[in-house]
């Protein structure tokens, strides 16, 4: 596309238009993709850039994420890779965990040239947006939070 068409547009519009949809995107799994799988299926189908599932789930649980993605209709040909968090013990979680995970996710964004991030967690969203990524924060309906809290309250923000 002719970059002259971007003159006078907002910087984010230049990012989208000037690269002809070749941006890499990262989508958080828990409470983002799992909240709106139909939306994300439509978004990633035919996406020009690479699609990564970015999750705070530890690498030891990667197969569970792949299984859950498959159950939502996300075959592994729809995304490049599942990028996991670090190993941790749920019994020792505190505020520090989310700050460390935010830094970990930011490193993933940089390492994989992810320019657009979808995530629900305020810690991750804030750090990513301040690093220059285009960020869309999922605002989750109470009904979903209530239903998911019965399954696993750890992953609901």
């Amino acid at each position: 596309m002719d970059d002259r068409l971007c003159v006078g547009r907002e910087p984010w519009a230049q990012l989208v238009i000037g690269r002809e949809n070749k941006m890499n995107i990262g989508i958080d799994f828990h409470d983002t993709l799992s909240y709106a799988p139909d939306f994300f299926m439509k978004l990633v189908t035919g996406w020009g850039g690479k699609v990564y599932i970015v999750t705070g789930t530890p690498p030891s649980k990667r197969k569970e994420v792949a299984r859950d993605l498959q159950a939502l209709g996300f075959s592994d040909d729809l995304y490049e890779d599942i990028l996991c968090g670090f190993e941790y013990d749920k019994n020792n979680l505190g505020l520090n965990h989310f700050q460390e995970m935010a830094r970990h996710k930011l490193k993933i964004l940089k390492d994989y040239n992810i320019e657009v991030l979808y995530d629900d967690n305020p810690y991750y969203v804030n750090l990513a947006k301040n690093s220059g990524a285009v960020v869309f924060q999922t605002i989750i309906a109470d009904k979903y939070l209530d239903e998911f809290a019965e399954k696993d309250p750890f992953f609901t923000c």
Side-chain angles (χ1 to χ4, degrees), residues 19-36:
R19 299 211 181 150
E20 297 177 353
N21 205 21
K22 298 286 186 194
M23 294 183 296
N24 295 342
I25 60 173
I27 304 168
D28 172 61
F29 179 62
H30 292 102
D31 300 338
T32 299
L33 188 145
S34 65
Y35 173 65

Side-chain angles (χ1 to χ4, degrees), residues 32-42 72 74:
T32 299
L33 188 145
S34 65
Y35 173 65
D38 293 339
F39 168 79
F40 287 105
M41 179 68 73
K42 290 174 186 169
L72 291 173
F74 280 79

Side-chain angles (χ1 to χ4, degrees), residues 47-106:
W47 185 262
K50 293 180 181 178
V51 176
Y52 294 98
I53 306 303
V54 181
T55 178
T57 302
S60 61
K61 305 281 186 187
R62 186 181 190 286
K63 287 183 181 179
E64 292 175 23
V65 173
R67 179 200 64 215
D68 293 345
L69 284 164
Q70 191 77 28
L72 291 173
F74 280 79
S75 58
D76 58 7
D77 63 328
L78 288 175
Y79 57 89
E80 188 75 19
D81 201 356
I82 298 170
L83 308 175
C84 292
F86 50 80
E87 294 296 330
Y88 59 88
D89 179 0
K90 285 185 181 182
N91 296 322
N92 297 325
L93 291 181
L95 181 60
N96 189 45
H97 166 82
F98 294 101
Q99 293 168 339
E100 287 180 40
M101 189 63 74
R103 289 188 293 273
H104 179 80
K105 282 190 168 187
L106 181 59

Side-chain angles (χ1 to χ4, degrees), residues 122-135:
Y123 289 102
Y124 312 153
V125 167
N126 196 43
L127 194 59
K129 73 156 175 90
N130 288 333
S131 75
V134 176
V135 179

